[in-house]
Amino acid sequence: MSAGAQPPAVRPAAEDDPREAPATAVPEGKRLHPVTPWRRAWAPIAGLVAFTLQDFERTRQWFEQLTVGWLLAAFAVLVPAAAAYGFLSWWYTSYLVTDTELRIRTGLLFRRTAHIRLDRIQGVDVGRPMLARIAQVAKLKLDVVGADAKDELAFLGEREAVALRAQLLARAAGMAPEAALEAGEAPARELLRVTPRTLIVSVLLLAGGWLALAALLVVPGLIFLASGNLWPAVAATLSLAGVAWRTTAGRVLKEFDWTVQESPDGLRIDRGLLDRVHETVPPGRIQYVRVVEPVLWRRRGWVRIELEVAGSGSERGALVPVASRGDAARVLARAVPGVELEEVMASLRPVPARARWCSPFRWRGYASGVTGSLFVTRRGRLRRVTELIPHAKVQSVRYRQGPWQRRLALADVAVDHGANGWAMARLRDVEEARALVAAQAERSRTGRRTALPERWLT
């Protein structure tokens, strides 16, 4: 080194300055809440129960041969083993937020690391089951584009879960890491709250629940009389009881105190009586909307709005469980900008009268239409379902015509919406159907060019 040369600057080690530390400086990341081992300790016990139930008769004989001492010894081994499994699985589970992704490391024997790109996150739901609310913990479910199942972090402290959710949503919106840490929970404005009375009355006016209860009272008895065997009747009772529960009391518990709020990161939904759930409907990624009008709701002017989101792997669920048409239209306009429910209903056109020869009982329930931003279809007379697909979300358009339809100069137009399904404009005039296919293809191309960005806060 020459006399006039300056010594090279000595850069401090990455671990000395945590702001300069690379993402791999703390490979273990953060662990979950200490209550998590108790949740995971049930896994081996549940597996053992499932194994024994596969051959119930042999299991019964085996238990009859066991003495009290052997049972106590088995519990003395099983309980510590389950506790050890829960602790070790918690110890080897961690998460870490880097500049570009969320890493979740799991696995006791077989290690698994999930790399979730932050710009692919389209929803972060906070779940608070009843026992978790008592322990003041919560779980995060991440809805990621292209993933069939949701990754989950269960459990975190309630404050930590809310802070992490706010950070992930801010990062998914494109905010810088430093700004995302300071952003906190975005403010929200309430759009709709479903009262318990409205929810309960709406469930009582649904025919499905009453049919399930009637089947529960009649079908098991008929099965027992026909077979003379008690077990098929018991199996039928349990199955029908589950259906009746889901369509009546279970639905009330799930949708209790349903609240929709608008925030910069999307529409927030809070719901549930025993298990409280906080969901986010991401803006710009809604592929498909259903407006459901059961026959007994129409006199009261009530509707239900359901939707699907691309890449979520399954149906997203309800946006509005029950509300007046005006309130539902206001929420829908915020979820899908530019959609006016009255304009949608006015655009529907019935099918030709000759369609009754193809569908004698349902042809009057079919209709379809087009607005400036939507492809619209309707089906059903008792349970009327109106389907809405934004032009920018249409993936493909198909022309379908069966032999009987060809004879009557009718055809169907199927529109794929990119969320594992399609909507069908049924029994249209053949010339109208051909023109609709060509026009819809052009509307889809134009819609994608003029669509708003799908990034939040943009």
Side-chain angles (χ1 to χ4, degrees):
M1 179 183 298
S2 63
Q6 297 293 329
V10 179
R11 187 177 181 88
E15 56 271 15
D16 295 335
D17 187 359
R19 292 174 299 177
E20 300 293 332
T24 57
V26 188
E28 68 276 7
K30 296 183 178 180
R31 290 193 176 90
L32 304 180
H33 194 275
V35 79
T36 306
W38 296 103
R39 167 184 178 261
R40 298 189 173 185
W42 288 100
I45 298 177
L48 180 61
V49 171
F51 176 77
T52 56
L53 289 179
Q54 290 181 354
D55 193 341
F56 182 78
E57 185 63 25
R58 179 178 296 180
T59 302
R60 184 183 62 81
Q61 296 175 0
W62 181 63
F63 269 100
E64 289 177 350
Q65 298 173 0
L66 290 177
T67 64
V68 176
W70 279 108
L71 287 175
L72 292 177
F75 276 103
V77 173
L78 180 61
V79 172
Y85 171 81
F87 174 80
L88 291 175
S89 62
W90 166 77
W91 183 264
Y92 286 104
T93 300
S94 63
Y95 72 92
L96 180 67
V97 182
T98 71
D99 290 344
T100 58
E101 64 185 14
L102 169 66
R103 298 175 187 170
I104 302 176
R105 296 181 174 89
T106 57
L108 177 58
L109 299 178
F110 302 96
R111 302 291 289 157
R112 173 182 177 268
T113 303
H115 298 264
I116 303 172
R117 286 175 47 187
L118 298 177
D119 58 355
R120 303 292 286 177
I121 295 176
Q122 63 179 10
V124 183
D125 302 336
V126 180
R128 296 181 177 90
M130 183 175 62
L131 295 179
R133 291 166 66 183
I134 296 174
Q136 296 184 345
V137 296
K139 60 181 177 181
L140 289 187
K141 288 187 176 182
L142 297 104
D143 200 356
V144 183
V145 176
D148 293 333
K150 294 184 179 181
D151 286 282
E152 182 178 278
L153 288 173
F155 287 96
L156 304 171
E158 286 189 342
R159 292 185 178 180
E160 183 182 2
V162 172
L164 180 58
R165 175 188 176 276
Q167 179 186 0
L168 293 177
L169 291 181
R171 296 292 301 278
M175 294 182 64
E178 296 79 7
L181 287 173
E182 300 174 358
E185 189 79 4
R189 178 175 65 91
E190 184 174 303
L191 295 178
L192 174 71
R193 183 182 294 271
V194 180
T195 64
R197 180 181 181 275
T198 300
L199 178 62
I200 293 172
V201 172
S202 70
V203 172
L204 292 176
L205 292 177
L206 290 174
W210 294 107
L211 291 175
L213 290 174
L216 177 61
L217 296 175
V218 175
V219 172
L222 295 177
I223 292 177
F224 177 73
L225 292 176
S227 63
N229 193 336
L230 180 62
W231 293 111
V234 171
T237 300
L238 294 177
S239 300
L240 292 173
V243 174
W245 172 265
R246 287 195 302 271
T247 54
T248 54
R251 182 165 178 171
V252 172
L253 294 179
K254 179 182 177 181
E255 300 178 353
F256 188 84
D257 193 27
W258 191 288
T259 306
V260 182
Q261 297 177 311
E262 184 182 27
S263 69
D265 50 39
L267 294 184
R268 298 178 186 171
I269 297 175
D270 289 280
R271 59 174 176 85
L273 179 60
L274 301 180
D275 296 347
R276 198 69 182 160
V277 178
H278 181 95
E279 300 174 327
T280 302
V281 178
R285 289 172 178 167
I286 297 175
Q287 300 289 112
Y288 169 74
V289 177
R290 277 190 301 270
V291 181
V292 183
E293 300 172 87
V295 62
L296 296 180
W297 286 15
R298 293 205 286 269
R299 293 187 61 184
R300 295 173 175 263
W302 290 348
V303 299
R304 175 183 177 91
I305 296 182
E306 301 172 345
L307 52 82
E308 292 182 5
V309 177
S312 61
S314 62
E315 182 178 310
R316 182 78 183 184
L319 174 65
V320 177
V322 57
S324 65
R325 186 184 291 266
D327 290 339
R330 186 176 69 255
V331 175
L332 180 59
R334 305 307 299 172
V336 188
V339 174
E340 296 292 339
L341 192 56
E342 293 303 322
E343 178 188 4
V344 168
M345 299 304 179
S347 70
L348 293 168
R349 297 292 180 267
V351 298
R354 64 182 182 275
R356 64 179 179 271
W357 300 109
C358 287
S359 183
F361 302 104
R362 294 186 293 178
W363 71 278
R364 289 186 182 275
Y366 293 138
S368 64
V370 176
T371 70
S373 59
L374 297 169
F375 178 87
V376 187
T377 69
R378 172 182 284 176
R379 53 185 168 83
R381 299 185 65 180
L382 296 180
R383 185 177 183 269
R384 185 184 298 164
V385 178
T386 305
E387 301 168 298
L388 289 62
I389 304 177
H391 296 316
K393 305 300 183 181
V394 172
Q395 305 297 308
S396 65
V397 185
R398 301 195 304 274
Y399 175 93
R400 296 176 51 175
Q401 190 180 45
W404 190 242
Q405 290 176 321
R406 285 198 296 271
R407 184 176 182 85
L408 296 172
L410 298 172
D412 299 333
V413 177
V415 174
D416 296 298
H417 52 66
N420 301 323
W422 64 86
M424 184 86 71
R426 300 179 184 273
L427 304 179
R428 310 307 304 181
D429 181 82
V430 65
E431 296 300 328
E432 177 191 358
R434 289 171 178 166
L436 183 59
V437 169
Q440 185 58 48
E442 180 59 30
R443 280 190 291 264
S444 300
R445 286 191 292 269
T446 304
R448 281 190 287 271
R449 288 197 299 267
T450 59
L452 297 175
E454 293 187 352
R455 296 299 297 273
W456 297 333
L457 304 179
T458 55

